[in-house]
Amino acid sequence: MLAAAALGWRAIRLQRRLERSERDRRRAADELNRRLSELFSLQELSYILSGSLQLDRIVEQVVRYAMRFLEAKGALVALAADGEGEGGEDADRRRLKVTAAEGTLGPLRGGSIGADDPGLIARSVTGERVELVHSTDTEPTPLVAGIQVASAAAVPLRAHGVLVGTLVIADPRDGVFAPEDVRLLSTVATHAAIVIANARFFEMVHHAKEQWETAFDALSEGIAVVDTQGSIRRANRSLAAMLDSPIPSVIGLDLGTALLGQSPALVDLLAAARRGERAQPLVLRSAPLGRALRVNAARIPSPEQEASVVVLVEDVTDQQQMEAQLIQSEKLAAVGQLVSGVAHELNNPLTSIAGLSEFLLEQKELASKDRGHLRVIHEQAERASRIVRNLLTFARKGPAEQARVDLNDVIQRTLTLMAHDLKLKDITVEKVLPTTIPEVVGDRHALQQVVLNLLNNAAQAVADNTPGQRRLICINTSFDDRVRMRVSDSGPGISDAVVPQLFTPFFTTKEPGQGTGLGLSITYSIVEAHGGRITVECPPEGGAAFLVDLPPAPPTPPPTRDAAGREPHAPPAAPLAKRTILLVDDDPAVRRLVKALFGREGHTVEVARSAQHALDLARTRTYDLILADARAMTRDHLFVEQLVELHPGLKQRILVATGDVRASTDEALAHLGLRYVRKPFNLRDLLDEAAQVWAAVALS
Ligand code: ADP
């Protein structure tokens, strides 16, 4: 009986033990299943993370999987500033940004947490390990200021010893974090930190690459990377634009050929750069592009023997032109100063030689031999006067007058002036002068000189053509943003060797007596003084072409000053046939000429001994004309200025003889509104001007 009972007990104990071990086995099997499923999930996460370099996607996945592993109610990843911040304060750098958040922590997404925040998130980044918190009724633990959860774990994310952020899990299954959960969290965090750090690094490199490429394309210089064969491997937009092709079409081209046609100098430069030498940049004229280029090259550091070279190409055409113009202007200014002094001294002697010889030629009783001699004297004096006048125009800085000028009209008049000469030489002129050309502002006489010089040169050029060749001059005007004039001819053209010297004063290829070499330099000075430019072309059809461009006059005409300076209260001029003239000039030869000229016409010429004497005479007597040298001075004032100030009514009767080259004198005369005649003048000029003074007085 006892034995049976004992047997029964053993059976029961065995039964219980069996039951217990069955429970243990089942628990172990469950645990194993759970761990296996975690392992698979971890593997899955690791697979997803390693397949992406997008930071946003990576942190979203980390949050989602962490929540899933711990069956938690919420999770987030807050990232630290990446240290690439644009020079922000330290405190800013230590801020955390909630980059991904799910579940109950979802509302925190996008928020930023300061380093001094009292909550778990900010605190976790200062530690090394997982930090766990459980709120109690008496001591609630916030995640961030103002937000609490029942229990949470935060694990700092560190890669290569650098903090990248923190992973936070709130309210896991059953409200507690088992030791296996903590281990799992650490594993996820370690893996995530490395992937996040890599993604950040990738973003940084990508951003830097983008910045570099933007800068590469934004540069106005052309840049190319060329391989050892000299072929373009990379090119920026400017280089492609220089070659007039899109970037893809430029890749693979031989740089030297594309830029310069054949250029041994460039090949040498590239070879030197490849060897690591710093060669001087090349400045070359590119025939295919028709531009001047400065090319520089440097080796791209590389451990390989065969290195690529980066080539910098600058278009220096405009810069070269500006430099050449500057040199030209300076040269002209220096020569101008020199010649103006000489020319001025020649003014009076030439005026009297030309004038008196002309005067004598009109005497009837001259022997024919003497008349011949005298004619030579007169012609040569006139020729010398023309040269002096040219020199003075050349030396004069600004345009003397500032009036609105119709360039087409100037051209028409100049052609009329030259018509006889052109016909004699059998020259055809073709002109295209559209009526839509706006006016320009400047000095009509100076602009006429420009047209005259260019037409004269063209006429001289075609006059040398052989009988079979056409003698043709084309002149046309057009307007885009500038008023343009083109004078071309069918002459022999201009050789390359001559072109650089064309505008240099006294440069001429003509026989002595045929040219002074001043025409084009004067033209250049005048055009420049009008804010314009003159360039020369050798057109493919032959001959030479000169192009002038000038700024157009403003659309509304400026108020015009009364050129004759008429005053309403001036006393009316006496309608006398015989005039009384007051002459103010200290040169005896000029005085003799003027007296002889006007005396012959029956007028009376009174000569003032000095400017002061002239002022006294003008006060006491009435003169029909006061002919005064522009430089005549009373102590420290210009005589004409004082005369106008003291006797404004006489303004109309004043004629100023000026040989001055100073722009200030021109301005003073223009300001006073006085009529003037330029020295050296000839007798007709002087009589014409005097007649105009009298006509103006009679009209007023
Ligand atoms: P000049 O005519 O007195 O020689 P310029 O300054 O006007 O002085 O001209 C300088 C030189 O430029 C001339 O000697 C000539 O060689 C050249 N030149 C100017 N215009 C032409 C042209 N239309 N055709 C050919 N050569 C020209």
Side-chain angles (χ1 to χ4, degrees):
M1 178 68 188
L2 251 167
L7 205 62
W9 266 114
R10 241 192 294 154
I12 290 167
R13 273 214 306 277
L14 189 65
Q15 169 74 24
R16 281 194 186 142
R17 241 197 348 254
L18 276 175
E19 278 175 9
R20 218 180 302 131
S21 82
E22 174 60 19
R23 267 206 309 277
D24 283 352
R25 195 191 59 76
R26 247 191 243 132
R27 205 178 296 134
D30 280 355
E31 184 60 22
L32 192 65
N33 272 342
R34 210 154 75 88
R35 291 296 156 203
L36 266 177
S37 124
E38 278 175 6
L39 197 64
F40 283 134
S41 293
L42 258 181
Q43 245 183 351
E44 193 182 317
L45 174 64
S46 143
Y47 177 74
I48 290 174
L49 294 189
S50 58
S52 173
L53 278 168
Q54 274 177 288
L55 193 58
D56 291 351
R57 217 174 106 68
I58 288 170
V59 286
E60 266 167 29
Q61 295 298 335
V62 170
V63 165
R64 192 161 302 149
Y65 273 81
M67 236 174 98
R68 206 162 91 193
F69 293 156
L70 277 73
E71 291 169 29
K73 292 199 177 131
L76 64 79
V77 166
L79 293 181
D82 61 6
E84 279 290 298
E86 280 81 45
E89 293 290 312
D90 253 15
D92 280 350
R93 293 250 189 91
R94 283 189 278 117
R95 284 187 94 76
L96 292 167
K97 175 135 195 276
V98 181
T99 318
E102 290 273 323
T104 50
L105 303 188
L108 291 176
R109 178 181 303 162
S112 129
I113 302 163
D116 51 356
D117 188 279
L120 172 69
I121 302 179
R123 204 170 60 237
S124 70
V125 297
T126 57
E128 291 291 323
R129 310 171 161 277
V130 181
E131 185 168 348
L132 301 174
V133 292
H134 293 279
S135 297
T136 60
D137 290 346
T138 50
E139 207 180 328
T141 309
L143 267 192
V144 272
I147 294 190
Q148 281 140 29
V149 286
S151 62
V155 45
L157 304 173
R158 285 182 196 281
H160 317 297
V162 178
L163 178 87
V164 291
T166 182
L167 168 64
V168 178
I169 309 291
D171 300 323
R173 133 179 50 84
D174 306 332
V176 285
F177 289 94
E180 309 84 56
D181 294 338
V182 173
R183 264 204 314 277
L184 184 69
L185 212 51
S186 294
T187 312
V188 171
T190 309
H191 191 64
I194 290 172
V195 180
I196 290 170
N198 284 350
R200 276 197 160 169
F201 185 60
F202 176 77
E203 269 190 1
M204 209 170 82
V205 172
H206 184 71
H207 184 61
K209 181 171 174 271
E210 267 181 359
Q211 272 186 337
W212 184 80
E213 280 176 348
T214 311
F216 186 68
D217 274 336
L219 284 173
S220 58
E221 289 85 4
I223 301 177
V225 175
V226 297
D227 62 15
T228 47
Q229 311 304 312
S231 302
I232 301 174
R233 286 280 149 254
R234 292 203 63 170
N236 70 348
R237 272 204 201 125
S238 300
L239 189 91
M242 272 180 201
L243 299 178
D244 202 18
S245 300
I247 293 178
S249 318
V250 164
I251 307 298
L253 293 182
D254 181 83
L255 179 73
T257 316
L259 272 185
L260 302 159
Q262 282 306 318
S263 167
L266 183 68
V267 173
D268 291 348
L269 178 77
L270 294 183
R274 223 169 269 129
R275 290 193 298 272
E277 293 166 19
R278 263 249 166 253
Q280 282 293 316
L282 288 178
V283 179
L284 298 163
R285 180 111 205 130
S286 159
L289 308 184
R291 314 285 298 170
L293 303 177
R294 180 187 285 125
V295 187
N296 210 346
R299 176 191 164 103
I300 299 177
S302 128
E304 292 157 33
Q305 276 278 303
E306 304 277 271
S308 297
V309 167
V310 60
V311 183
L312 185 77
V313 186
E314 271 175 279
D315 186 335
V316 290
T317 317
D318 294 344
Q319 190 187 332
Q320 274 193 344
Q321 262 174 13
M322 266 166 57
E323 277 170 10
Q325 285 202 335
L326 199 68
I327 292 170
Q328 184 68 18
S329 303
E330 280 170 2
K331 216 156 47 176
L332 290 185
V335 176
Q337 264 192 343
L338 184 79
V339 299
S340 68
V342 178
H344 193 258
E345 286 309 310
L346 292 177
N347 253 338
N348 286 348
L350 283 175
T351 304
S352 34
I353 296 172
L356 285 172
S357 54
E358 186 181 349
F359 182 74
L360 285 178
L361 276 171
E362 288 168 12
Q363 311 289 315
K364 294 199 173 61
E365 59 274 19
L366 267 182
S368 75
K369 200 170 167 202
D370 292 342
R371 186 176 291 280
H373 293 332
L374 208 50
R375 186 163 292 122
V376 174
I377 293 174
H378 179 249
E379 277 170 8
Q380 294 307 308
E382 281 278 315
R383 186 174 149 214
S385 299
R386 266 199 308 277
I387 294 173
V388 167
R389 257 199 299 270
N390 277 345
L391 287 174
L392 289 176
T393 313
F394 165 66
R396 194 169 287 118
K397 274 278 120 219
E401 276 173 33
Q402 288 289 331
R404 295 173 76 87
V405 180
D406 175 358
L407 192 61
N408 282 348
D409 182 54
V410 171
I411 295 171
Q412 292 284 18
R413 283 168 191 266
T414 315
L415 284 172
T416 313
L417 212 74
M418 294 178 69
H420 179 67
D421 193 37
L422 293 169
K423 199 168 166 211
L424 268 185
K425 291 180 177 154
D426 192 24
I427 296 171
T428 313
V429 177
E430 284 179 4
K431 54 186 181 187
V432 180
L433 308 173
T435 49
T436 47
I437 304 296
E439 292 170 315
V440 296
V441 173
D443 183 334
R444 159 176 282 278
H445 299 288
L447 290 171
Q448 174 149 22
Q449 174 113 48
V450 168
V451 179
L452 194 68
N453 288 352
L454 295 179
L455 287 173
N456 259 335
N457 277 347
Q460 273 180 312
V462 296
D464 292 339
N465 281 358
T466 51
Q469 288 173 304
R470 260 194 104 182
R471 297 178 171 196
L472 177 68
I473 298 177
C474 299
I475 182 161
N476 56 49
T477 51
S478 60
F479 176 66
D480 37 43
D481 56 332
R482 312 271 286 177
V483 175
R484 296 180 193 275
M485 172 176 73
R486 187 173 193 273
V487 180
S488 59
D489 61 66
S490 63
I494 302 167
S495 74
D496 284 352
V498 166
V499 169
Q501 311 204 59
L502 276 185
F503 300 104
T504 305
F506 304 110
F507 171 80
T508 180
T509 57
K510 294 173 189 167
E511 298 287 319
Q514 291 283 306
T516 57
L518 277 173
L520 285 179
S521 46
I522 288 171
T523 304
Y524 186 99
S525 300
I526 296 174
V527 172
E528 195 189 41
H530 282 77
R533 265 179 26 150
I534 175 163
T535 47
V536 64
E537 254 180 22
C538 299
E541 66 272 16
F546 285 85
L547 293 98
V548 173
D549 69 74
L550 295 162
T556 41
T560 46
R561 195 180 48 236
D562 185 349
R566 273 182 211 127
E567 284 193 7
H569 305 299
L576 292 173
K578 303 290 172 224
R579 315 281 182 171
T580 316
I581 298 156
L582 175 61
L583 174 64
V584 192
D585 198 314
D586 62 1
D587 190 303
V590 174
R591 291 208 298 252
R592 172 186 281 267
L593 167 68
V594 173
K595 275 178 96 166
L597 176 69
F598 286 108
R600 188 187 60 187
E601 306 289 315
H603 307 310
T604 313
V605 179
E606 282 188 22
V607 177
R609 288 187 307 276
S610 66
Q612 187 54 53
H613 183 210
L615 281 181
D616 295 342
L617 287 174
R619 198 177 55 235
T620 51
R621 292 205 47 187
T622 308
Y623 292 100
D624 299 303
L625 177 72
I626 299 171
L627 176 60
D629 183 64
R631 287 201 171 182
M633 302 276 288
T634 58
R635 257 195 225 116
D636 44 7
H637 281 98
L638 275 182
F639 162 71
V640 283
E641 237 170 353
Q642 254 206 322
L643 185 64
V644 171
E645 200 180 311
L646 292 174
H647 311 288
L650 292 178
K651 197 156 119 184
Q652 261 184 303
R653 296 160 186 251
I654 300 171
L655 179 60
V656 187
T658 173
D660 215 313
V661 291
R662 290 168 304 185
S664 55
T665 310
D666 283 349
E667 268 168 35
L669 294 179
H671 177 71
L672 292 171
L674 295 178
R675 198 177 277 283
Y676 62 85
V677 55
R678 283 212 186 281
K679 281 184 181 176
F681 47 72
N682 60 37
L683 300 189
R684 274 182 315 278
D685 287 349
L686 192 58
L687 286 177
D688 274 1
E689 289 295 336
Q692 291 200 34
V693 168
W694 292 323
V697 170
L699 273 176
S700 63

